[in-house]
Amino acid sequence: MTAPIPRDIPDLPPIPGHVVLPPTVVPARAVLIPARRRAVAVFRGLIALLALTGVGMELTGGAPATALSHFTIQSGILLALVTLVSARCAWSAHHPLPGALTGAALFYVLAAALVHHVLLAHASSPFGAADGTGTAWQTAATHVLHTAVPVAAILDWLLLTPAGRLHLRQAPVWLLYPLAYLAFSLTRGALLGPGSQDRYLYPFLDVDQHGYKIVLGNALLIGLALYALAVLLVALDHMRPDPLRRPR
């Protein structure tokens, strides 16, 4: 048997006042499924191979421990690792790496290239090396790491990377690594005895020749220039067209 249906349905309790839910922002990566970009993956793999080739040439052309102490070598290794992971993400349709990480790798490679071309290779620079120094192997490695790799990284950033992913708050964070490298370089020089070969790897950081006051002044000027470079990258990232945005 079933219970009889009541003639009158009891009144329901009144609905309280209209509740407005707070607005939420859903990131695009949470709703958009990334597509496979195999051509991009191949290009980024070639960038990583180029960077590792330059690093390998430097390691085989001299003392590996000394070579690994150079900012250029360290930034080249970082770029190779980041581009390899980015290539895997593009190949397997995974979400891309954070812009802060890819931007930092690009920034360090550009910083090393600018310091080399402006301070070390420029004829009018007081820190420039004499012409004809180094073997042909070392010269080739220098061109790979300071010219070919930065140009390839810039092309990847301009043509294959979404725009607007860099932010001004990231610029001071990027400078922590050059600051740590400065401390490492001065500590390394202090631990090595006077007269040791390659005691200071960069002439503008040579305490024996310039003293700590001038070296720290040089580091401050270079740091300001690098901060300006980081701000310029962020500004260009927000002004350049997005290469992945489809025209309407």
Side-chain angles (χ1 to χ4, degrees):
M1 298 181 61
T2 58
I5 300 176
R7 294 178 178 274
D8 297 327
I9 299 177
D11 294 336
L12 297 176
I15 300 176
H18 182 63
V19 178
V20 179
L21 297 177
T24 58
V25 178
V26 179
R29 62 178 299 177
V31 295
L32 296 179
I33 301 177
R36 294 180 183 272
R37 306 168 64 201
R38 294 187 174 178
V40 174
V42 171
F43 181 71
R44 289 176 179 169
L46 292 176
I47 295 177
L49 179 62
L50 183 65
L52 292 177
T53 299
V55 170
M57 294 174 68
E58 286 285 357
L59 294 179
T60 57
T66 301
L68 288 173
S69 299
H70 282 84
F71 185 88
T72 302
I73 302 299
Q74 298 174 10
S75 62
I77 294 174
L78 175 62
L79 179 74
L81 295 176
V82 170
T83 50
L84 280 177
V85 177
S86 296
R88 182 181 180 277
C89 293
W91 184 273
S92 56
H94 289 168
H95 290 292
L97 293 179
L101 179 58
T102 56
L106 174 65
F107 169 69
Y108 297 141
V109 169
L110 291 180
L114 288 177
V115 168
H116 171 78
H117 288 291
V118 175
L119 294 180
L120 302 179
H122 201 277
S124 61
S125 172
F127 307 110
D131 294 336
T133 58
T135 63
W137 184 264
Q138 292 172 338
T139 301
T142 297
H143 286 301
V144 169
L145 288 174
H146 295 103
T147 303
V149 170
V151 170
I154 280 288
L155 290 177
D156 174 65
W157 180 62
L158 290 175
L159 303 178
L160 304 174
T161 304
R165 302 180 65 204
L166 304 182
H167 303 282
L168 190 59
R169 64 177 180 273
Q170 297 166 352
V173 179
W174 292 345
L175 292 179
L176 294 178
Y177 170 48
L179 183 62
Y181 182 82
L182 172 64
F184 160 77
S185 180
L186 296 181
T187 303
R188 177 182 180 275
L191 294 177
L192 294 176
S196 301
Q197 186 179 6
D198 295 327
R199 184 183 183 189
Y200 295 101
L201 301 175
Y202 295 96
F204 48 83
L205 298 179
D206 193 335
V207 177
D208 291 339
Q209 184 176 0
H210 306 292
Y212 279 102
K213 183 178 180 179
I214 295 180
V215 164
L216 293 178
N218 293 336
L220 177 61
L221 293 177
I222 294 175
L224 293 175
L226 294 185
Y227 181 74
L229 172 64
V231 172
L232 178 62
L233 278 178
V234 174
L236 291 177
D237 187 53
H238 288 270
M239 291 188 299
R240 67 187 178 96
D242 194 337
L244 303 184
R245 180 175 299 172
R246 297 179 180 178
R248 296 181 179 179

